[in-house]
């Protein structure tokens, strides 16, 4: 089919749908709804595209009647059948729902009220999970199941069903009001568990506002602890690296990220850079907020790296490098470096860079630090594996390719680099061509378009793709790693890795060439990195849809 994606942003879910449709032979084009000043301009663009079907996996704008009356137009709504409103997932997290869902429905005059094409229900995590993390994992998986059902029905000529005739698996659904930042206000007299849930519902936007040390801030990335300090609610009582602990009515709230809140919200930064915790004791952090964790299973070591939304700032990269070096001192045969269910890595931290007194110098420190991590992974004596457990982008992808073996979970989207005005480093000029060849590597780097795990596996960028379900993937990963740890297989793999390094230029050569280009991008700003970085952080919408995303 000829399918138009009508969306408000080319976000993670949209990218996943875009990749999926293309890989299944559909002719796919995309239009950013916000780039049109008037409805008639959008109508004209749709008419020029002449699609068989319009899919809207992420749309905050209203679809003009002239569009949905003429073309089958399907909205993907992050709520179960019967749910309506723009803050669906926020309400689900706040209410502590045990189940939630995604519904694909026809666009009609009334928002989220059209006939139902497909629905999919999933279990919510037991612990409060941030809205962004939930959206990029369980919601996205459910949305893809809905998209496949829509394609099946549209291809066979089936029609959607009136919502009143659909089975409502999730009870107590209906129209819910839009939630704004003030609706997530934190009252420190409340229990930490309740505050963590509120932060999760507001993360990563609009953030949960609170008063801390006499300042207005927005809080993100929070985890509750039952630790009682005896301090007055709202008192900063401890820290661990860049996370801070704040006393609550009962328990303690650990906060990983914060932003100054004045008339507008500032840049999200590691919490200790916004909240002064320097005079507080160093406390044990909850496991859910720990940057790294290491588990050994006989001959295989598993190192999990956690970074908020996948952004890794310079000091954090150095801590990750230290964790990898420590893990490599274990007498295991294989080291698996992996992310969490919700995040892997997107490379350098644009927010920390932008907030620095000298952004160019901070960016330079950041790229050096992530390069050191890449070098440690590439030069390891053990066999190293990367497991892309969630979407990855830019330097996060390239760092993962520096290991001997790279695998991914089905449904993961990899974005080799973004249009951010920088050349890129992370040994990409060595790691990518050795897997996919010089010509294909050049194409991937210059097109700057996402690819699915399945496509990455097909072209040799990955060594395998495991199941989509997280528990099943963990079991698959363990079995795969144990296979590589078998002496005969291990010897063969290590010999192949040594041969690859021997026949290529020294890694220091690749790093030197890449950093020379990055120096010009950072310090001379030759490709507009400063402006592109600020626009990205401010979520400034593009003025036009990029031509590479449109039909033909």
């Amino acid at each position: 089919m000829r399918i138009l994606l009508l969306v408000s942003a080319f976000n993670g879910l949209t990218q996943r749908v875009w990749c999926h449709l293309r890989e299944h032979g559909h002719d796919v084009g995309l239009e950013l709804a916000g780039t049109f000043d008037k409805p008639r301009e959008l109508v004209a663009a749709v008419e020029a595209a002449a699609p068989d079907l319009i899919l809207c996996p992420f749309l905050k704008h209203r679809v003009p009647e002239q569009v949905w009356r003429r073309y089958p137009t399907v909205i993907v709504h992050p709520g179960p059948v019967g749910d309506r409103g723009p803050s669906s997932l926020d309400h689900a997290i706040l209410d502590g729902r045990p189940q939630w869902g995604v519904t694909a429905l026809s666009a009609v005059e009334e928002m989220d009220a059209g006939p139902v094409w497909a629905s999919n229900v999933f279990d919510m995590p037991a612990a409060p999970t941030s809205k962004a993390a939930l959206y990029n994992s369980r919601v996205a998986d459910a949305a893809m199941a809905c998209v496949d059902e829509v394609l099946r029905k549209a291809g066979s000529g089936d029609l959607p069903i009136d919502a009143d005739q659909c089975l409502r698996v999730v009870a107590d659904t209906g129209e819910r009001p839009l939630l704004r930042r003030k609706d997530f206000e934190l009252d420190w007299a409340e229990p930490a568990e309740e505050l963590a849930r509120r932060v999760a519902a507001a993360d990563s936007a609009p953030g949960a506002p609170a008063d801390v040390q006499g300042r207005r801030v927005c809080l993100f990335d929070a985890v509750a602890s039952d630790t009682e300090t005896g301090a007055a609610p709202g008192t900063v009582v401890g820290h661990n690296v860049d996370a801070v602990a704040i006393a609550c009515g009962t328990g303690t709230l650990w906060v990983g990220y914060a932003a100054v809140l004045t008339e507008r919200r500032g840049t999200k930064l590691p919490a200790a850079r916004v909240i002064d915790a320097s005079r507080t004791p160093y406390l044990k952090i909850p496991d859910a907020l720990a940057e790294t964790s290491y588990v050994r299973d006989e001959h295989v070591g598993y190192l999990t790296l956690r970074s908020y939304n996948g952004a890794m700032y310079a000091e954090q990269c150095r801590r990750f490098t230290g964790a990898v070096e420590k893990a490599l001192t274990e007498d295991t045969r294989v080291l698996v470096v992996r992310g969490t269910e919700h995040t892997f890595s997107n490379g350098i931290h644009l927010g920390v860079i932008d907030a620095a007194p000298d952004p160019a110098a901070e960016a330079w420190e950041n790229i050096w630090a992530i390069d050191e991590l890449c070098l440690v992974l590439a030069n390891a004596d053990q066999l190293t594996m990367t497991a892309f457990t969630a979407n990855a982008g830019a330097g996060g992808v390239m760092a993962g390719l520096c290991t001997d073996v790279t695998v991914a979970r089905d449904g993961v989207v990899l974005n080799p680099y973004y249009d951010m005005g920088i050349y890129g480093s992370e040994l990409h000029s060595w790691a990518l061509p050795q897997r996919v060849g010089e010509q294909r590597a050049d194409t991937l780097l210059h097109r700057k378009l996402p690819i699915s795990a399945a496509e990455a596996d097909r072209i040799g960028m990955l060594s395998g793709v495991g199941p989509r379900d997280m528990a099943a993937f963990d079991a698959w990963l363990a079995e795969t790693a144990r296979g590589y740890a078998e002496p005969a297989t291990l010897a063969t793999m290590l010999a192949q890795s040594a041969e690859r390094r021997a026949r290529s230029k020294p890694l220091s050569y690749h790093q030197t060439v890449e950093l020379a280009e990055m120096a010009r991008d950072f310090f001379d700003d030759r490709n507009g990195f400063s402006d592109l970085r600020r626009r990205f952080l401010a979520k400034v919408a593009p003025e036009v849809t990029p031509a590479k995303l449109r039909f033909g």
Side-chain angles (χ1 to χ4, degrees), residues 10-355:
F10 195 45
N11 69 345
L13 177 56
T14 302
Q15 291 177 26
R16 187 168 166 183
V17 173
W18 185 81
C19 291
H20 183 76
L21 296 177
R22 286 162 55 92
E23 287 161 20
H24 283 75
H26 299 288
D27 185 12
V28 185
L30 183 143
E31 288 290 350
L32 295 173
T35 61
F36 299 95
D37 293 330
K38 300 176 181 178
R40 67 170 178 270
E41 296 175 355
L42 174 55
V43 172
V46 172
E47 289 176 344
D52 300 317
L53 174 69
I54 299 174
L55 282 177
C56 309
F58 177 72
L59 185 65
K60 295 183 177 181
H61 298 78
R62 184 176 291 276
V63 181
E65 183 176 359
Q66 300 98 307
V67 170
W68 57 258
R69 284 202 181 277
R70 182 172 177 184
Y71 304 95
T73 304
V74 181
I75 308 291
V76 178
H77 173 68
V81 173
D83 177 81
R84 294 171 59 191
S87 301
S88 174
L89 207 51
D90 314 49
H91 283 288
I93 297 170
L94 281 176
D95 296 344
R97 292 294 194 114
Q99 283 189 318
W100 204 238
V102 173
T103 306
L105 38 83
S106 291
V108 294
E109 182 64 30
E110 201 171 355
M111 298 287 279
D112 305 329
V116 174
W117 286 84
S119 64
N120 190 276
V121 173
F122 56 88
D123 292 332
M124 293 281 278
T129 302
S130 80
K131 179 173 57 179
L134 192 60
Y135 182 85
N136 289 323
S137 54
R138 302 190 190 196
V139 172
D141 288 345
M144 293 306 299
C146 287
V147 167
D148 281 339
E149 181 67 6
V150 169
L151 295 176
R152 186 192 68 77
K153 288 183 175 179
S156 60
D158 293 347
L159 297 175
I161 303 171
D162 189 278
D164 293 335
Q165 299 177 14
C166 293
L167 176 65
R168 298 198 179 190
V169 179
V170 179
D172 190 26
T173 58
E175 186 168 5
R176 300 181 187 276
L178 170 68
L179 294 176
R180 302 187 183 277
R181 183 176 291 143
K182 61 182 177 59
D183 297 308
F184 300 101
E185 182 79 34
L186 300 188
D187 179 353
W188 294 113
E190 294 185 40
E193 189 70 32
E194 174 58 32
L195 298 184
R197 185 171 298 281
R198 198 167 300 161
V199 173
D203 198 340
S204 59
D211 292 315
V212 180
Q213 297 174 332
R215 301 172 69 202
R216 291 290 286 168
V217 295
C218 264
L219 304 182
F220 311 86
D221 196 27
V223 173
S225 164
D226 58 7
T227 302
E228 298 289 353
T229 63
T235 304
V236 179
V237 294
H239 71 282
N240 186 300
V241 189
D242 281 337
V244 301
I246 303 174
C248 305
T250 58
T252 302
L253 188 72
W254 279 89
V255 179
Y257 265 68
V260 174
L261 182 60
T262 51
E263 291 184 4
R264 303 184 68 177
R265 193 194 77 194
T267 302
K268 286 184 277 188
L269 298 170
R273 300 186 179 212
V274 177
I275 299 168
D276 182 12
S278 59
R279 295 179 178 84
T280 64
Y282 194 90
L283 303 178
K284 184 181 185 303
I285 198 168
D287 291 343
L289 209 60
E291 281 187 338
T292 62
S293 64
Y294 179 81
V295 176
R296 177 171 177 164
D297 180 14
E298 294 185 348
H299 301 301
V300 181
Y302 296 88
L303 178 64
T304 300
L305 306 182
R306 180 189 184 276
S307 56
Y308 177 67
N309 287 346
M312 307 190 305
Y313 50 101
E315 292 90 335
Q316 189 174 48
C317 289
R318 296 186 185 107
R319 292 194 292 269
F320 285 161
T321 300
V324 171
E325 290 173 331
K326 185 175 185 299
L328 289 171
T329 64
E330 297 282 330
D331 60 343
T332 52
R333 297 172 185 169
V334 177
L335 173 63
V336 179
V337 179
R338 54 167 295 160
T340 67
E341 178 183 359
H342 312 114
T343 58
F344 186 79
S345 172
N346 292 312
I348 61 176
H349 200 305
L350 299 180
V352 169
I353 290 169
D354 199 64

